[in-house]
Amino acid sequence: MLVQYTVENYKSIRDEVVINFRADGKYQDSGWVVQKENISPPLYKCIGLMGPNASGKTNIMQSFNFAFRFILNTIKRKGSSPINLEKFAFEEEMDEEPTSFEFVFYRNEVKYVYGFSVSRREVLEEYLTGDFSGKSKLFFDRFGRRQFEFGDTDVKVQQEIAKKTNPNRLYMPVAAEWGYAPLKEVYQWFEFHARQYEDYSIYTTVGEVIKKEKRKQVLLDELKKADFNIKDIYIKNKKMDKQSHDILEKLLMEIMGENADFSLPDTRPDIRIVHEDYEGETFDIALDEDSAGTEEFVENMAEFLYLCEQGGLMLEDELGKSYHIKLAQHFLEMFKSPVMNPGHAQLFFTTHNTKILNMLNPDQIYLVDKDETGATFVKLLDDYSICEDEDLELGYLKGRYGGVPYMKG
């Protein structure tokens, strides 16, 4: 489970932005909180970002995207490839400062802290620690181009792997690729979650869900509740068109560098949904040819069903932007439900749907805004003085907590 995420100097983010999934003590009996013996303190299943347009909500999500892709693709990078990232755009001096990311998370009952800082040329800092039964262990600390400090385990082995790590590559995924088991365990956490950022990930997710008849039936039942008139869903392969080929090639070049070595597939999966009309006749169409609301709800439900048994983190920018408010509320309630979500899957989302405010605890909502320089900052709704029975949606819309558009006269 994710405990905390931190990012600094990325796009509209200048200063450190911290997103914390820890639940405040006064809310720990809430149904949104995961209470497990091996997790301390208790963690939330859902954390949301809310704020005006252009405040930086999407940039926070995109920073997550960048970090995961950089980790996943680091072993494919050529030694001469630059690191394609966008730093804080509004102050020239920030262009020379590093961009930093840090993740605190649980993997197999161990709490890890993994972070790294990069310039456009190389990795400047990288570190990993683990908390084993209250005892902190240093795996490695990297500083400078090829300077490493290792803990007291497998030092010679790790030193050899470090020699194989180019300045523009991360050490952790390189060590995992070379089969070093302790770091492979950590890499697998990122590898699992990075699936969301792989090209055509939704096709993989839907494919995994409909493989199991029980999960497929839950998906169809939820689509029926949403009144989409969908009777079935399946996947077939289709030849990749030139537009899809060019988009995929451009994306890989942005992440891996122009000199990176990669090959593109000739086909791509195609999700087909079977509709039933009012006369009982059926017909099938591609999911991306259906309404935006249908497409988004199918994707969200499939991702949830993929994670709900085993756990994991789902990211969603503008949750429910294309479907009804009641469906968005229902979707959130599925994460809250111990029956529907036995694996304690987590959701990190942005939204403009103010109805959601009265569904969550005040420390589950970060209000996102920008200062006079255009820099994004976040503030917990819980940091304001809030009465027990206060209508949070009404208070927010009245501008009591900030994070709302300022309409000029």
Side-chain angles (χ1 to χ4, degrees):
M1 297 188 74
L2 181 65
V3 179
Q4 182 174 289
Y5 170 65
T6 305
V7 58
E8 183 177 2
N9 193 19
Y10 182 84
K11 292 191 173 181
S12 67
I13 303 163
R14 180 188 60 204
D15 304 318
E16 190 176 78
V17 166
V18 180
I19 305 298
N20 199 330
F21 275 74
R22 299 178 181 92
D24 189 282
K26 61 187 174 185
Y27 302 117
Q28 288 184 7
D29 291 332
S30 161
W32 292 108
V33 178
V34 177
Q35 299 272 10
K36 292 179 72 175
E37 186 177 338
N38 63 309
I39 292 179
S40 180
L43 302 176
Y44 275 122
K45 301 174 190 175
C46 294
I47 292 290
L49 306 179
M50 186 172 290
N53 295 103
S55 59
K57 301 185 301 299
T58 294
N59 287 340
I60 295 173
M61 290 294 182
Q62 288 180 349
S63 73
F64 229 98
N65 186 327
F66 176 88
F68 270 86
R69 283 187 178 274
F70 190 67
I71 293 167
L72 186 68
N73 292 306
T74 202
I75 58 174
K76 302 175 185 177
R77 297 182 61 82
K78 295 284 188 180
S80 58
S81 297
I83 298 173
N84 296 307
L85 60 84
E86 295 180 59
K87 300 187 180 188
F88 182 65
F90 309 123
E91 292 179 8
E92 289 185 9
E93 58 266 29
M94 294 303 294
D95 200 54
E96 298 302 318
E97 296 297 318
T99 297
S100 303
F101 308 88
E102 184 183 83
F103 299 86
V104 183
F105 60 95
Y106 278 93
R107 164 80 174 172
N108 292 335
E109 302 188 2
V110 177
K111 184 168 74 173
Y112 293 97
V113 178
Y114 175 67
F116 60 92
S117 298
V118 294
S119 69
R120 290 196 178 92
R121 299 175 297 278
E122 60 190 359
V123 177
L124 302 171
E125 180 186 25
E126 187 184 4
Y127 53 89
L128 175 67
T129 63
D131 191 336
F132 295 82
S133 301
K135 295 182 179 179
S136 182
K137 173 183 177 180
L138 172 69
F139 286 91
F140 69 89
D141 188 4
R142 175 185 184 179
F143 43 96
R145 293 176 63 86
R146 289 187 181 274
Q147 295 176 288
F148 288 82
E149 177 186 345
F150 297 104
D152 56 3
T153 306
D154 304 322
V155 174
K156 289 186 177 180
V157 172
Q158 293 201 75
Q159 285 175 339
E160 287 302 312
I161 298 173
K163 293 176 183 177
K164 301 178 175 72
T165 306
N166 291 340
N168 66 347
R169 291 181 179 178
L170 294 169
Y171 170 75
M172 185 271 290
V174 170
E177 178 71 8
W178 280 91
Y180 183 54
L183 298 197
K184 192 168 186 178
E185 175 77 12
V186 176
Y187 179 71
Q188 285 172 345
W189 187 87
F190 288 96
E191 187 176 42
F192 175 76
H193 291 95
R195 171 188 49 78
Q196 295 176 71
Y197 308 114
E198 293 171 357
D199 305 294
Y200 306 120
S201 64
I202 183 56
Y203 303 101
T204 304
T205 302
V206 171
E208 289 294 323
V209 167
I210 64 178
K211 259 194 232 175
K212 293 187 178 181
E213 191 58 38
K214 183 179 177 182
R215 287 197 298 192
K216 179 180 178 180
Q217 192 56 52
V218 173
L219 174 60
L220 292 174
D221 288 345
E222 291 300 323
L223 294 174
K224 183 177 180 181
K225 287 180 189 176
D227 198 26
F228 287 126
N229 294 320
I230 295 176
K231 295 289 290 183
D232 200 6
I233 185 167
Y234 66 95
I235 293 180
K236 69 176 185 179
N237 286 326
K238 65 181 289 187
K239 184 174 177 61
M240 186 181 294
D241 57 76
K242 185 178 186 306
Q243 182 181 9
S244 298
H245 181 282
D246 292 345
I247 291 173
L248 178 55
E249 183 178 49
K250 181 180 178 182
L251 179 62
L252 289 173
M253 288 175 65
E254 286 177 354
I255 299 298
M256 298 164 57
E258 294 184 3
N259 299 322
D261 184 20
F262 57 82
S263 58
L264 297 174
D266 296 323
T267 62
R268 70 173 181 87
D270 184 31
I271 301 174
R272 310 291 295 185
I273 51 177
V274 180
H275 280 280
E276 182 180 52
D277 63 23
Y278 292 105
E279 296 180 352
E281 297 292 326
T282 59
F283 60 95
D284 72 308
I285 61 173
L287 177 61
D288 57 11
E289 293 174 355
D290 210 313
S291 72
T294 300
E295 183 177 6
E296 185 186 357
F297 194 72
V298 169
E299 291 179 358
N300 287 169
M301 283 302 310
E303 186 68 32
F304 170 77
L305 292 171
Y306 183 81
L307 297 174
C308 66
E309 294 178 8
Q310 60 193 322
L313 175 69
M314 176 179 172
L315 272 72
E316 186 64 21
D317 193 14
E318 292 193 44
L319 176 67
K321 65 179 179 292
S322 300
Y323 52 79
H324 197 276
I325 289 172
K326 287 190 174 181
L327 291 181
Q329 291 173 311
H330 175 68
F331 184 70
L332 277 174
E333 288 289 351
M334 294 180 74
F335 275 89
K336 185 177 182 181
S337 168
V339 176
M340 292 298 296
N341 186 15
H344 309 304
Q346 293 173 291
L347 173 66
F348 180 36
F349 67 96
T350 73
T351 185
H352 290 288
N353 182 355
T354 57
K355 297 291 183 187
I356 287 173
L357 284 169
N358 286 326
M359 293 181 63
L360 303 175
N361 295 323
D363 65 336
Q364 286 179 269
I365 292 289
Y366 283 88
L367 300 177
V368 185
D369 215 331
K370 55 188 177 183
D371 64 20
E372 63 279 1
T373 70
T376 294
F377 67 92
V378 300
K379 188 171 184 179
L380 265 181
L381 181 57
D382 197 44
D383 289 341
Y384 294 88
S385 178
I386 296 173
C387 299
E388 186 174 346
D389 298 323
E390 186 168 335
D391 187 318
L392 296 178
E393 181 188 17
L394 184 60
Y396 172 75
L397 290 174
K398 286 184 174 181
R400 182 180 171 195
Y401 321 120
V404 292
Y406 172 65
M407 307 298 291
K408 297 181 179 179

